[in-house]
Amino acid sequence: MKKLGLSILTLAGAMALGSANAAQVIKIASMSPLTGSSSDLGLQIRNATEMAIKEQKAAFLKMGFDLQFVAYDDQADPTTGTANARRIAADNSILAMVGTLNSGVVIPSSEVLAPAHVAIVSPANTNPKVTDRALSNMNRICARDDSQGPAGADFLIDTVKVKKVYVLNDKTPYGQGLADAAEARLKSKGVTISFSEGTDEKSDFSSIITKIKQAKPDAIYFGGLYGQVGPFAKQLREAGVAIPVMGGDGYDSPDLLSLAGAGAKDIYFTTVAPPLEAVPAAKAVAARYKAAYKKDMAGFGIMGYDSANVVLAGVMSAIKANGGKLPTRVQVETAVRKTNLTSGTLTGAIDFNSVGDRTTAKMFIIQVKNAGSKLDFSTAGTVNVKVAKQ
């Protein structure tokens, strides 16, 4: 009995010592579409965030923190994203989030997370409203639609030499914001808008294509995602319409090529996410990504990786400012907004203005064209985008 009592005391002592020495858990979340038609892009964000966290796990452990990753699938749906945001806000161990892919998801989700001071760094949300609301928790490292839309319009004017353009959007905040910005730039430079409309059609575009053939535009600007634009382009080409189709970074997926088939030729898009060949610093990271996930790293993977490292730098800074102790969400939120990374990122220096926009970003013009015996993406130009300090 005496021996058993000592054993229990020894075990209890060991458990107490283990508890005292246990690393405190810090969770970083990601939120993006992991299922559905946009999942190829969403998985890039999810996987790159996870990889960045794994790479810094040892550094956090030395400081006494167990860095963990938790991924949420928003299905590109605002309702699902908002429900995820409530779960994130309720888990006090989650200090920050990387995401989302869709502006229509992050706008309501960030409003749920704002009172809980969960810092967000977005790799992909381009709608101006994302940061124009001046939420203290919302930041993005990508350019805005009011830069992306005009960049696409300028390419159509200066390179394609258009005089008349047919404008479409997918009726989402992302697609409509992009199309509206492009349309405004086209009009300001004297281009005729033959028609401008929104559509949520996903499979049968025959009625729209009939109107396009009657209007005879020089090009089409379609603010939407590859899951919708791919079938549209396929049917457009099958109907004998070969004019360029221009859009935004929602086209940036290899699935665009499989969905559009031969119809993908002469699709152009602006992207805030850089092509891998345009980012020499990403070469080693991309190799690790492919080894881990058996897929090539693409633009939103690069942006997701940088977003995650901005979050991790902010959390690390907040820990140091708090004397090595677990920081509050407010402290992390403040540290992330004060980000001033001049090295260690794939896409160059990152800092934010007062509303969370990256002060300097690049935008790329991508063209689908023949590459040997198949169609593939090719970089057609680069535009530097500076956001005014506020």
Side-chain angles (χ1 to χ4, degrees):
M1 184 67 185
K2 184 178 179 181
K3 186 176 181 179
L4 178 60
L6 285 172
S7 297
I8 291 173
L9 288 172
T10 301
L11 177 61
M15 291 177 65
L17 184 60
S19 177
N21 291 335
Q24 289 181 283
V25 172
I26 290 177
K27 294 180 184 175
I28 304 299
S30 76
M31 184 156 71
S32 57
L34 307 180
T35 55
S37 62
S38 304
S39 60
D40 183 62
L41 304 182
L43 284 166
Q44 286 276 331
I45 295 171
R46 180 237 178 260
N47 294 344
T49 302
E50 180 183 52
M51 194 170 79
I53 288 170
K54 285 182 176 177
E55 290 174 353
Q56 294 207 30
K57 195 172 180 66
F60 275 81
L61 195 58
K62 284 182 180 178
M63 300 177 72
F65 298 99
D66 179 11
L67 189 62
Q68 297 182 9
F69 171 64
V70 55
Y72 290 84
D73 178 8
D74 63 34
Q75 301 173 28
D77 173 54
T79 302
T80 304
T82 302
N84 287 341
R86 292 194 187 97
R87 296 187 188 97
I88 292 170
D91 184 346
N92 290 325
S93 63
I94 299 177
L95 295 186
M97 184 188 92
V98 173
T100 63
L101 174 68
N102 304 90
S103 295
V105 174
V106 87
I107 290 170
S109 300
S110 58
E111 290 172 358
V112 170
L113 293 172
H117 298 282
V118 177
I120 303 169
V121 177
S122 167
N125 301 130
T126 52
N127 189 288
K129 189 178 177 182
V130 170
T131 49
D132 282 354
R133 298 165 301 157
L135 296 178
S136 58
N137 66 323
M138 186 72 237
N139 312 275
R140 58 177 155 197
I141 67 166
C142 57
R144 302 161 49 110
D145 284 344
D146 47 14
S147 298
Q148 188 174 189
D154 287 346
F155 181 84
L156 288 176
I157 296 166
D158 299 334
T159 303
V160 184
K161 309 295 184 185
V162 297
K163 302 297 182 186
K164 186 164 64 173
V165 174
Y166 198 106
V167 178
L168 290 165
N169 73 78
D170 64 1
K171 291 187 175 180
T172 68
Y174 164 76
Q176 187 164 359
L178 206 59
D180 287 350
E183 182 176 331
R185 177 60 66 92
L186 289 165
K187 286 179 176 176
S188 74
K189 294 196 172 184
V191 175
T192 299
I193 304 301
S194 55
F195 207 83
S196 180
E197 64 177 317
T199 177
D200 51 14
E201 178 59 53
K202 297 291 193 300
S203 58
D204 181 4
F205 297 94
S206 56
S207 62
I208 295 173
I209 291 170
T210 297
K211 287 187 284 185
I212 291 171
K213 293 180 78 170
Q214 291 171 345
K216 297 181 179 177
D218 300 317
I220 297 164
Y221 190 97
F222 194 157
L225 301 176
Y226 68 88
Q228 183 185 29
V229 174
F232 166 76
K234 184 175 189 295
Q235 292 172 35
L236 184 74
R237 303 310 191 211
E238 288 172 351
V241 182
I243 58 176
V245 177
M246 167 64 82
D249 54 357
Y251 295 8
D252 192 3
S253 168
D255 286 355
L256 175 69
L257 304 179
S258 58
L259 289 169
K265 188 173 185 298
D266 288 335
I267 290 179
Y268 295 82
F269 61 92
T270 52
T271 180
V272 295
L276 185 58
E277 68 272 15
V279 187
K283 186 176 179 180
V285 175
R288 297 199 298 274
Y289 183 98
K290 186 162 188 175
Y293 302 105
K294 313 306 178 191
K295 293 197 74 172
D296 289 328
M297 191 178 209
F300 285 114
I302 293 171
M303 296 295 278
Y305 187 80
D306 268 1
S307 295
N309 279 310
V310 167
V311 162
L312 294 171
V315 174
M316 187 76 79
S317 176
I319 291 171
K320 292 176 180 175
N322 201 35
K325 299 177 182 176
L326 182 69
T328 66
R329 284 175 165 175
V330 172
Q331 289 171 316
V332 172
E333 178 185 73
T334 301
V336 170
R337 180 59 57 85
K338 290 181 178 178
T339 293
N340 185 18
L341 296 176
T342 57
S343 62
T345 60
L346 303 179
T347 59
I350 298 176
D351 64 337
F352 300 115
N353 65 8
S354 62
V355 297
D357 281 321
R358 185 174 181 175
T359 59
T360 304
K362 289 185 183 296
M363 193 170 294
F364 302 85
I365 308 291
I366 306 299
Q367 177 185 8
V368 180
K369 66 179 189 179
N370 291 320
S373 60
K374 64 176 184 177
L375 292 171
D376 208 347
F377 296 143
S378 177
T379 304
T382 304
V383 178
N384 287 320
V385 179
K386 292 187 73 68
V387 177
K389 289 272 188 182
Q390 299 182 43

